[in-house]
Amino acid sequence: MGTIIKATGISTNKNIKSSNEHAIAAGLQCVENAGIDTKDIDLIINVGIYRDQNMVEPAMAAFIQKGIGVKNDYVRNQPDKAALSLDMMNSSCGIINAIQTADAIFKARQIKYAMIVSSDAHPSNKTNENFPFSSIGAAMLLEYSQDDQKGFKNFSFQNSENSDYSVRGYLDFNNLDEPAADRLAVCVPDEYNAKILEFASDSAEKHLTSLETDRKNVKLIPPQIYKGFGKKMAESLAIKDDFIPDLYPEYGNAHSSALTMAYHLASDKGFYNKNDQVIFVAAGAGLSAACATYTC
Amino acid sequence: MIKTRFESIGVHLPDKIVSTDELIGQMVPPPQFDLEAITGIKNRLWKEDKDDSYSMAIDAAQSCLENSKYEAADLDIIISCSIARFVGDCNYYEPAMSLFLKQKLGAEKAIFFDVSNACAGIFTGLYILDSMIKAGIVKNGLVVSGEHTSCVAETAMLEVKDIYDPQFGSLTVGDAGAAVILDQSADDNDVIDYFELLSTPEYSDLAIGKPSNLSNKYAMYASNSKMHTEERLNIWPNFQLDIFEKMGKTFESENFDYIIHHQVGLKFIDRLLKIGTEAFSAEMPESLQVLDECGNTATTSHVLVLYQFLKEKKIKEKAKILIVPAASGFVTGFLSVKINSLVVN
């Protein structure tokens, strides 16, 4: 029994400036790709970080659930199982936390499909040169397979002892430059690019070593923080993967959507085959890193 | 199947209290409504200037650990669930608040992430943790929240004009921290019997927390008259009745000793109790509440009630409690928990 990816979807339309709209567009594409009925989705986890208008309530997942059309209401004797939606936030690593959470809920409760959506956008819904992340969305539909060999296994998580070199994203109520609904600060230390590569590589190294992974026969989905990040990481890990997804040149830093998007685009090219072992590595603010091994 | 239990709980209660009279007295011009009569709230907890979401969450987590057999280093996971994530005057998106908590508490091996689900945040965190323990992924974990909600009350004091104002409900809120450690149940006297949550987002735009349209603060805009219709409030009993039917249970046969609703207002709770009585065709158990003295403390409200009643030794031995969330989104559900050895110091 294992949690497997049923389908994925992405939203890269540059005319969409809203975080929620990106998540909904990606979710709808994912549903279409999966060929399922939305009433069979029982769990929606939104791992996006930067939200429209700096909203804090309700969960953005509520708007996304409604936008995708997943059991918007509940009536007595409803034949379909009720759905739960929630926001989960952990920088770019939220996707791995959410997959592990969905895996736990598949095992502990009877649910059919879980969807993990993600999107980021500047809260003003306008292009902002100080916002280092792409306005983009992604969705991943998970199901529980009876096949014991398939799916996500072996999750690992690391964080640095302190957050000295971390990206920090926040709404500062002492800064009155713009209306608070449109305001955002994202501070990226000068050392961040070097430190996050080192940290992500070390974390992946621990993951691969502890599992005694055969590095000649593994595929890597690395963080997408800057151009060539994955290649440098693969070199340090001695992974002989001929195709390392590198989204940055075309899409920029897709942040919370990076791994789903990388998997989606590589799958579209037919890159993953049955029984392939794929290592998902996320890294972001904290510093934090998260790894998971996926058997196709 | 493994079952879980409330191993320990803890809270942060601000020393500062703001009475409804005091709050109304600061509004210019003075409002023409009787807030205390409408809501039943006499006082609300109010954070001190030095405190924020983070410090109140730390305090609640430490209070919880003091009541626990676990040390911070034993924790397998920390889930932070506050609505806003204030450190000082900044609301953080990243790094996760749960990472700051992990670093400060010294919970070295803990997995961490934040959950956000309006006032159902702690329930959502507990739901995930309960599932993770059952799935064998972790053995224990801390679900924690520090709520700096008085910021929306401050906005409402400046902007509310009358009882129909969408920020009216913000005058009821208070600040607090709350934390719960779950682990595997050891016997039938301390156990979560069943736990279900659902989201029905048809009317998700009826309650939105975001920066004010008029001032540099957070505001909460809620259309309570549309949100709290009979039909919406009936989602809870309808959901529970359907699950009960599948489980072969009835409300009456469950013999709950107490019920804890979200601490929105006395009339809101009374309406839910009436709706529950009619829908389940059963007497409601004793309703526990602290809202008259604490206000609506958002995600922390149910834990705060449980803590206060345990502290005052008003919970009977081998108690069975039904806890019902109600949150923007709209999120509701039910948690049935048996409590016997849970103590607070």
Side-chain angles (χ1 to χ4, degrees):
Chain A
M1 307 276 274
T3 295
I4 63 165
I5 301 171
K6 169 89 172 165
T8 51
I10 61 171
S11 171
T12 59
N13 183 340
K14 288 191 163 41
N15 293 323
I16 299 178
K17 303 292 185 191
S18 150
S19 174
N20 284 344
E21 284 179 32
H22 270 304
I24 292 164
L28 289 171
Q29 191 193 80
C30 182
V31 167
E32 194 182 331
N33 290 344
I36 62 150
D37 194 321
T38 53
K39 72 176 171 48
D40 289 328
I41 299 173
D42 298 325
L43 175 68
I44 295 176
I45 305 178
N46 167 39
V47 296
I49 302 296
Y50 295 100
R51 57 262 318 275
D52 299 338
Q53 300 176 65
N54 280 314
M55 277 187 279
V56 287
E57 182 178 344
M60 298 303 99
F63 297 125
I64 296 163
Q65 181 185 347
K66 186 178 177 184
I68 299 172
V70 179
K71 293 176 278 203
N72 291 352
D73 218 336
Y74 189 86
V75 291
R76 182 90 165 92
N77 297 318
Q78 180 169 299
D80 308 314
K81 196 172 164 57
L84 173 65
S85 60
L86 61 113
D87 289 353
M88 182 175 281
M89 297 168 76
N90 186 14
S91 188
S92 306
C93 299
I95 179 70
I96 304 293
N97 295 120
I99 293 169
Q100 190 183 38
T101 296
D103 185 54
I105 294 177
F106 278 127
K107 286 171 178 156
R109 296 166 176 274
Q110 290 179 336
I111 65 165
K112 190 155 185 186
Y113 296 119
M115 181 181 274
I116 302 170
V117 291
S118 52
S119 60
D120 292 289
H122 193 274
S124 66
N125 287 176
K126 291 176 188 146
T127 303
N128 186 304
E129 61 181 21
N130 295 319
F131 186 60
F133 306 114
S134 305
S135 182
I136 249 168
M140 177 186 282
L141 191 76
L142 301 173
E143 70 176 330
Y144 204 45
S145 163
Q146 297 300 315
D147 187 340
D148 214 16
Q149 304 303 313
K150 283 178 149 187
F152 283 98
K153 288 188 177 64
N154 302 112
F155 298 87
S156 68
F157 302 90
Q158 303 285 334
N159 63 275
S160 55
E161 278 181 27
N162 61 57
S163 297
D164 293 352
Y165 297 113
S166 177
V167 168
R168 288 171 185 263
Y170 53 87
L171 165 58
D172 183 354
F173 281 95
N174 283 321
N175 170 350
L176 306 179
D177 286 350
E178 302 103 337
D182 296 342
R183 188 189 310 149
L184 181 69
V186 181
C187 303
V188 184
D190 293 341
E191 303 91 334
Y192 180 69
N193 280 2
K195 293 286 182 189
I196 196 68
L197 175 64
E198 186 186 335
F199 188 76
S201 301
D202 285 353
S203 300
E205 177 64 46
K206 282 179 190 155
H207 183 82
L208 296 171
T209 304
S210 71
L211 297 171
E212 298 176 350
T213 306
D214 176 5
R215 299 181 193 212
K216 288 178 190 154
N217 290 305
V218 73
K219 295 184 173 176
L220 177 68
I221 297 187
Q224 305 291 327
I225 297 168
Y226 52 82
K227 185 184 171 192
F229 191 98
K231 198 173 169 212
K232 286 182 183 170
M233 198 173 160
E235 281 168 10
S236 95
L237 296 171
I239 286 180
K240 305 290 181 198
D241 187 353
D242 296 332
F243 179 84
I244 305 283
D246 192 356
L247 309 184
Y248 196 90
E250 190 172 350
Y251 298 104
N253 184 345
H255 203 36
S256 63
S257 299
L259 299 194
T260 306
M261 206 166 148
Y263 177 86
H264 176 92
L265 294 170
S267 292
D268 264 5
K269 291 179 182 164
F271 193 67
Y272 303 125
N273 302 307
K274 198 177 174 194
N275 299 326
D276 274 358
Q277 211 173 45
V278 184
I279 309 296
F280 284 69
V281 182
L287 304 176
S288 58
C291 306
T293 301
Y294 182 66
T295 306
C296 297
Chain B
M1 173 69 88
I2 293 169
K3 289 205 165 192
T4 64
R5 63 169 177 173
F6 281 34
E7 191 272 338
S8 56
I9 64 171
V11 297
H12 166 78
L13 300 173
D15 287 335
K16 189 172 164 184
I17 287 166
V18 172
S19 71
T20 295
D21 284 348
E22 213 176 321
L23 184 134
I24 292 294
Q26 289 176 46
M27 292 175 69
V28 181
Q32 299 302 304
F33 50 76
D34 186 340
L35 184 62
E36 189 174 320
I38 296 166
T39 64
I41 294 169
K42 291 180 190 140
N43 294 307
R44 75 268 297 127
L45 302 172
W46 203 277
K47 79 170 192 73
E48 293 177 53
D49 289 345
K50 66 176 173 55
D51 281 326
D52 50 30
S53 316
Y54 166 72
S55 68
M56 289 188 279
I58 283 288
D59 208 37
Q62 284 169 340
S63 152
C64 190
L65 286 164
E66 280 166 20
N67 294 323
S68 170
K69 70 176 183 185
Y70 297 109
E71 304 283 336
D74 301 325
L75 295 172
D76 289 335
I77 185 168
I78 296 176
I79 306 176
S80 173
C81 310
S82 60
I83 296 172
R85 288 169 293 278
F86 275 103
V87 180
D89 292 326
C90 296
N91 180 56
Y92 265 77
Y93 292 111
E94 58 181 328
M97 178 71 78
S98 47
L99 175 59
F100 294 144
L101 299 174
K102 170 182 169 154
Q103 288 168 337
K104 177 73 176 174
L105 293 170
E108 285 177 15
K109 68 174 181 180
I111 303 168
F112 62 92
F113 52 80
D114 293 359
V115 155
S116 184
N117 210 3
C119 289
I122 280 192
F123 281 88
T124 308
L126 291 172
Y127 184 90
I128 292 170
L129 178 52
D130 174 73
S131 301
M132 283 192 168
I133 294 171
K134 284 176 172 160
I137 291 168
V138 298
K139 288 194 164 56
N140 65 57
L142 174 77
V143 176
V144 58
S145 174
E147 287 293 11
H148 172 192
T149 46
S150 58
C151 58
V152 302
E154 287 174 339
T155 312
M157 286 162 70
L158 295 171
E159 299 179 5
V160 165
K161 299 286 182 290
D162 54 44
I163 191 174
Y164 304 107
D165 193 292
Q167 289 191 64
F168 177 80
S170 302
L171 297 170
T172 65
V173 300
D175 299 323
V180 181
I181 290 175
L182 293 189
D183 69 359
Q184 192 173 332
S185 170
D187 60 51
D188 289 342
N189 296 323
D190 284 280
V191 64
I192 293 178
D193 294 315
Y194 41 87
F195 184 9
E196 299 288 341
L197 284 179
L198 89 168
S199 307
T200 55
E202 183 60 34
Y203 302 97
S204 47
D205 55 347
L206 290 182
I208 290 178
K210 67 185 191 71
S212 162
N213 301 329
L214 301 172
S215 54
N216 183 47
K217 287 174 181 293
Y218 276 124
M220 183 72 209
Y221 301 98
S223 306
N224 284 339
S225 58
K226 289 183 192 164
M227 206 164 56
H228 296 161
T229 61
E230 200 91 346
E231 185 195 359
R232 307 301 302 158
L233 297 184
N234 263 300
I235 291 174
W236 153 55
N238 284 341
F239 184 40
Q240 190 163 346
L241 279 165
D242 284 345
I243 300 281
F244 269 9
E245 270 182 21
K246 287 177 192 154
M247 296 167 85
K249 294 179 185 293
T250 65
F251 196 93
E252 209 161 21
S253 68
E254 283 299 281
N255 291 315
F256 295 110
D257 296 301
Y258 309 102
I259 188 167
I260 305 176
H261 279 293
H262 186 34
Q263 306 287 290
V264 176
L266 273 182
K267 284 186 182 166
F268 175 82
I269 293 175
D270 287 346
R271 280 186 68 203
L272 277 176
L273 292 170
K274 187 164 171 281
I275 279 169
T277 305
E278 286 169 9
F280 293 112
S281 303
E283 288 278 306
M284 286 294 105
E286 181 185 349
S287 169
L288 306 183
Q289 53 210 39
V290 296
L291 68 91
D292 53 339
E293 293 301 326
C294 298
N296 172 3
T297 57
T299 55
T300 67
S301 78
H302 300 80
V303 179
L304 200 59
V305 172
L306 184 57
Y307 182 93
Q308 294 288 67
F309 277 80
L310 281 169
K311 183 97 181 162
E312 292 167 18
K313 304 200 184 307
K314 290 181 178 169
I315 302 285
K316 63 185 260 192
E317 284 182 5
K318 297 184 181 178
K320 184 171 180 175
I321 308 176
L322 178 65
I323 311 182
V324 182
S328 308
F330 170 76
V331 186
T332 187
F334 50 95
L335 186 164
S336 169
V337 60
K338 289 198 194 99
I339 280 167
N340 192 45
S341 60
L342 189 68
V343 288
V344 298
N345 298 310

